Amino acid sequence: MSDRKRIALISTGGTIEKTYDELAGVLQNRASVLDVVLATLQLDGVEIVRTPLMNKDSLDMTEQDHTLIARTAGAMAEAHDGVVVVHGTDRLAVTGERIDQLLGTPRVPIVLTGAMRPYVMRNTDASQNLTEALLAVQVLAPGVYVAMHNKVLRFPGVVKDRERGTFVRAPGS
Amino acid sequence: MSDRKRIALISTGGTIEKTYDELAGVLQNRASVLDVVLATLQLDGVEIVRTPLMNKDSLDMTEQDHTLIARTAGAMAEAHDGVVVVHGTDRLAVTGERIDQLLGTPRVPIVLTGAMRPYVMRNTDASQNLTEALLAVQVLAPGVYVAMHNKVLRFPGVVKDRERGTFVRAPGS
Amino acid sequence: MSDRKRIALISTGGTIEKTYDELAGVLQNRASVLDVVLATLQLDGVEIVRTPLMNKDSLDMTEQDHTLIARTAGAMAEAHDGVVVVHGTDRLAVTGERIDQLLGTPRVPIVLTGAMRPYVMRNTDASQNLTEALLAVQVLAPGVYVAMHNKVLRFPGVVKDRERGTFVRAPGS
Amino acid sequence: MSDRKRIALISTGGTIEKTYDELAGVLQNRASVLDVVLATLQLDGVEIVRTPLMNKDSLDMTEQDHTLIARTAGAMAEAHDGVVVVHGTDRLAVTGERIDQLLGTPRVPIVLTGAMRPYVMRNTDASQNLTEALLAVQVLAPGVYVAMHNKVLRFPGVVKDRERGTFVRAPGS
């Protein structure tokens, strides 16, 4: 009866989910932040199916992790109207390229996103980026993308610009 | 050198720009709130050209206002990569239909958006809806749309569902 | 075992507790906002005993209401280490004078506070004013006070400055 | 003409002023955060005279630093209606004891405060603690205090409870 799109939301960790340990004074990854962010958004167009796959700083990801995320995204793409992957930005592009290599053009759009500033920070980009990924996955053609900072880029050929803290097309791609 | 899209942002007023007059205890429309919202977003994909056209509660809009907004959107569509119109939700659909009638399919996407809860409220949907409109206008095919609450609908045939406070397809459209 | 002070918190309504009805576009008084504000504060010095007495815009208060609040504050002062009264600002001073007339100098401090901008607004003064009242009630000498906008004034002789939206000493007092 | 109290606000650094470096993913001390916090408060009772003395994580403070802060607070106490010192919590109590040893009972109240969670965090205690210090300094008797987490404690005999992240009376004091 509903015309909402069913979107699989695969979480893998990263800055977006980091919380602040006031006693140690450091930022750490903990569960459930993503659910808090989702609760602040009004999501009339989508029904979200949450898949908490891992909770890692992406700098700690192994080759096996990248492949696992890619295969999970591929499996979810078979059964949903779209797939969003929340990922640490440091190695988000590695996973994006991996999905593209393993799946080619998927049946439905797969959109990766992340954040440079955790949700617990006042000036977080988590809400914005998640909003963008959840909108982009509804309207893009099938393919593998990153949506972040009001910009959508299609894999392959995407890299992180570490100086500016955002994603850009790879030189020559 | 930049590959940013140039987006015309036409503001017309509405809830998104309302501020709170603490002495009178009411919500009013004032200028510049939109600039504050924009400053909180990280907009790497777009260069925004601001066009403050009017600042009205849409319930106060006349037939001439709807037509003026439509013609302005049409003119901006000739010279930019996309057009976003910020509009009061009560009569947003009237303007959307008007644009569709007057322009047919425009050269670039024209995306209308608004808010149910002003930016000055903690639980505002202004940031989310503006984020969505600015992303949608980059990736949609030419046409006239509303983007709000993580849902994109194309005109004609869109109405406001006043009970739920959001936009839906008109029955039978 | 604890050395926390036991503070009675009497709520009577007012701007501090107003919420926004997005469908009607107006601000209304609803319950439980005060509990949300309290949950955002770290209150190590006090144990709060909540007494929801009424939930009124103070402009709607009757003579009986002012007297009821005064008598309740007096009763609570007998059994607690301090009393805070959350009150609409429009007639807060009427209640403050009433308490002073009926009780003279109470056994423990009674501190009234309120807000000019509801908690649901981004720029609310509710958190600040409640923080101040809960601190002032611990350190002041017995008496009747308003604590708001980082200022403490003792009754009698306090009036609302309606132009500036804050409390001041009455001329000549 | 004004009856505002003139309060010297000495800043020394600490968590309250830490900002988040998104590229390195760490929290650092930077200037001017305190001015942002002050701008969000409505301070009708005080006129603040800012004295940025140093900007240090208090764990890095030397004996000379503690003495310098104490002497500066003492000098400011001669010429103002009160003194607030913003300080890292790790060694705040060392500075508090130092002031007490060097000055005994100062001419006006000297109130130290800090924060466990930086202002840039959503759930910061910076606004609350600064509000409390600025109110306490107006109403307390001359002496040296810490005001934080809705609790006021007088030096000497105050220590940080590192497990709970707050200040308490020293055992036996």
Side-chain angles (χ1 to χ4, degrees):
Chain A
M1 200 167 77
S2 164
D3 60 347
R4 290 182 166 203
K5 297 202 172 186
R6 290 185 75 242
I7 305 297
L9 179 62
I10 302 173
S11 52
T12 70
T15 289
I16 203 171
E17 301 208 67
K18 277 184 183 160
T19 55
Y20 178 66
D21 179 343
E22 69 183 63
L23 300 178
V26 294
L27 291 160
Q28 296 182 319
N29 282 5
R30 289 222 194 121
S32 87
V33 173
L34 207 52
D35 293 317
V36 175
V37 188
L38 290 169
T40 66
L41 301 174
Q42 187 167 343
L43 302 173
D44 289 358
V46 294
E47 177 193 349
I48 291 178
V49 183
R50 286 273 273 121
T51 303
L53 184 60
M54 62 185 75
N55 191 1
K56 286 197 177 182
D57 188 318
S58 70
L59 288 174
D60 299 331
M61 283 184 180
T62 63
E63 287 304 307
Q64 286 74 16
D65 287 330
H66 292 296
T67 299
L68 173 61
I69 299 168
R71 291 204 186 288
T72 305
M76 292 288 162
E78 294 304 310
H80 297 82
D81 299 322
V83 178
V84 168
V85 181
V86 176
H87 201 290
T89 59
D90 281 312
R91 293 178 62 84
L92 182 151
V94 178
T95 292
E97 300 290 346
R98 186 71 46 93
I99 299 174
D100 179 70
Q101 289 157 12
L102 291 179
L103 305 185
T105 298
R107 199 184 64 89
V108 296
I110 298 178
V111 180
L112 291 86
T113 197
M116 290 302 292
R117 298 172 297 278
Y119 180 70
V120 293
M121 314 294 298
R122 247 171 235 285
N123 68 340
T124 181
D125 54 342
S127 305
Q128 177 189 335
N129 294 339
L130 199 57
T131 296
E132 291 171 3
L134 287 170
L135 190 85
V137 78
Q138 297 177 60
V139 296
L140 292 171
V144 184
Y145 306 85
V146 57
M148 213 170 136
H149 300 156
N150 218 252
K151 190 163 63 173
V152 176
L153 297 168
R154 184 165 183 172
F155 287 94
V158 177
V159 293
K160 182 173 176 182
D161 178 335
R162 286 176 204 285
E163 293 209 3
R164 290 175 46 230
T166 197
F167 288 91
V168 295
R169 293 230 64 85
S173 77
Chain B
M1 199 167 80
S2 164
D3 61 349
R4 290 183 166 202
K5 296 201 172 187
R6 290 186 76 242
I7 305 297
L9 180 62
I10 302 172
S11 52
T12 69
T15 289
I16 203 170
E17 302 207 67
K18 276 185 184 159
T19 55
Y20 179 65
D21 179 344
E22 70 184 63
L23 300 178
V26 293
L27 291 160
Q28 296 182 319
N29 282 5
R30 290 224 192 119
S32 87
V33 173
L34 208 51
D35 293 316
V36 175
V37 189
L38 290 169
T40 67
L41 300 175
Q42 187 167 343
L43 302 173
D44 288 359
V46 294
E47 177 193 347
I48 291 177
V49 183
R50 286 274 272 121
T51 304
L53 184 60
M54 61 185 78
N55 191 2
K56 286 198 177 182
D57 188 317
S58 69
L59 288 174
D60 299 331
M61 283 183 181
T62 62
E63 287 304 306
Q64 285 73 16
D65 288 328
H66 292 295
T67 298
L68 173 62
I69 298 168
R71 291 205 185 286
T72 305
M76 292 287 162
E78 294 304 311
H80 297 81
D81 298 321
V83 178
V84 168
V85 181
V86 176
H87 201 291
T89 59
D90 281 312
R91 292 178 64 84
L92 181 151
V94 178
T95 292
E97 300 290 346
R98 186 71 46 94
I99 299 174
D100 179 69
Q101 289 157 14
L102 292 179
L103 306 185
T105 298
R107 199 183 65 88
V108 296
I110 298 177
V111 180
L112 291 86
T113 197
M116 290 302 293
R117 298 174 296 280
Y119 179 69
V120 293
M121 314 294 298
R122 250 169 231 285
N123 68 340
T124 181
D125 53 342
S127 305
Q128 176 188 336
N129 295 339
L130 199 57
T131 296
E132 292 171 3
L134 288 169
L135 190 85
V137 78
Q138 297 176 61
V139 297
L140 292 170
V144 185
Y145 306 86
V146 58
M148 214 171 136
H149 299 157
N150 218 250
K151 190 163 62 173
V152 175
L153 297 169
R154 184 165 183 173
F155 286 94
V158 177
V159 293
K160 182 174 177 182
D161 179 335
R162 286 175 203 284
E163 293 209 3
R164 291 176 45 231
T166 197
F167 288 90
V168 295
R169 293 230 62 85
S173 79
Chain C
M1 200 168 77
S2 165
D3 60 348
R4 291 183 165 202
K5 298 203 172 186
R6 291 185 75 242
I7 305 297
L9 179 62
I10 303 173
S11 52
T12 69
T15 289
I16 203 170
E17 302 208 66
K18 277 185 183 160
T19 56
Y20 179 66
D21 178 344
E22 70 183 62
L23 300 178
V26 293
L27 291 159
Q28 297 182 317
N29 283 6
R30 290 221 193 120
S32 88
V33 172
L34 208 51
D35 293 317
V36 175
V37 188
L38 290 170
T40 67
L41 301 175
Q42 187 167 343
L43 302 173
D44 288 358
V46 293
E47 177 194 347
I48 291 178
V49 182
R50 285 274 273 123
T51 303
L53 183 60
M54 61 185 77
N55 192 1
K56 285 198 177 182
D57 188 317
S58 70
L59 288 175
D60 298 332
M61 284 184 180
T62 63
E63 288 305 305
Q64 285 73 18
D65 288 329
H66 292 296
T67 299
L68 173 62
I69 298 169
R71 293 207 184 286
T72 305
M76 292 288 161
E78 295 303 311
H80 297 83
D81 299 322
V83 178
V84 168
V85 181
V86 176
H87 200 291
T89 59
D90 281 313
R91 292 177 64 83
L92 181 150
V94 178
T95 292
E97 300 291 346
R98 186 70 46 93
I99 300 174
D100 179 69
Q101 290 157 13
L102 292 179
L103 305 185
T105 297
R107 198 183 66 89
V108 296
I110 299 178
V111 180
L112 291 86
T113 197
M116 291 301 294
R117 299 173 295 280
Y119 180 70
V120 293
M121 313 296 297
R122 248 170 232 284
N123 67 341
T124 181
D125 53 343
S127 306
Q128 177 188 333
N129 295 338
L130 200 56
T131 296
E132 291 171 3
L134 288 169
L135 191 84
V137 78
Q138 297 177 60
V139 297
L140 292 171
V144 185
Y145 306 86
V146 57
M148 214 171 135
H149 300 157
N150 218 252
K151 191 164 60 173
V152 176
L153 297 169
R154 184 164 183 175
F155 287 93
V158 178
V159 293
K160 182 173 177 182
D161 179 335
R162 285 174 205 287
E163 292 209 5
R164 292 175 46 230
T166 197
F167 288 90
V168 294
R169 293 230 62 84
S173 78
Chain D
M1 200 167 76
S2 165
D3 60 348
R4 292 184 164 200
K5 297 202 173 187
R6 291 186 74 242
I7 305 297
L9 179 62
I10 302 173
S11 53
T12 70
T15 289
I16 204 170
E17 302 207 68
K18 277 184 183 160
T19 55
Y20 179 66
D21 178 343
E22 70 183 64
L23 300 178
V26 293
L27 291 160
Q28 297 182 317
N29 282 5
R30 291 225 191 118
S32 89
V33 173
L34 207 51
D35 293 316
V36 175
V37 188
L38 290 170
T40 66
L41 300 175
Q42 187 167 344
L43 302 173
D44 288 358
V46 293
E47 177 194 347
I48 291 177
V49 183
R50 285 275 273 121
T51 303
L53 182 60
M54 61 185 76
N55 192 0
K56 285 198 176 181
D57 188 318
S58 70
L59 289 174
D60 299 331
M61 283 183 181
T62 62
E63 287 304 307
Q64 286 74 16
D65 287 330
H66 292 296
T67 298
L68 173 62
I69 299 168
R71 292 205 185 284
T72 305
M76 292 289 161
E78 294 304 310
H80 297 81
D81 299 321
V83 178
V84 168
V85 181
V86 176
H87 201 290
T89 59
D90 281 312
R91 292 177 63 84
L92 181 151
V94 178
T95 292
E97 300 290 347
R98 186 69 47 94
I99 299 174
D100 179 69
Q101 290 157 12
L102 292 179
L103 304 185
T105 297
R107 198 183 65 88
V108 296
I110 298 178
V111 180
L112 290 85
T113 197
M116 291 300 294
R117 298 174 296 281
Y119 180 71
V120 293
M121 314 294 298
R122 249 171 232 285
N123 68 340
T124 181
D125 53 342
S127 306
Q128 178 189 333
N129 295 338
L130 199 57
T131 297
E132 291 171 4
L134 287 169
L135 190 84
V137 78
Q138 297 177 59
V139 296
L140 291 171
V144 185
Y145 306 85
V146 57
M148 212 170 136
H149 300 156
N150 218 252
K151 191 164 57 174
V152 175
L153 297 169
R154 184 164 183 174
F155 287 94
V158 177
V159 293
K160 182 174 177 181
D161 179 335
R162 286 176 203 286
E163 292 208 5
R164 292 175 46 230
T166 198
F167 288 89
V168 294
R169 293 229 63 86
S173 78

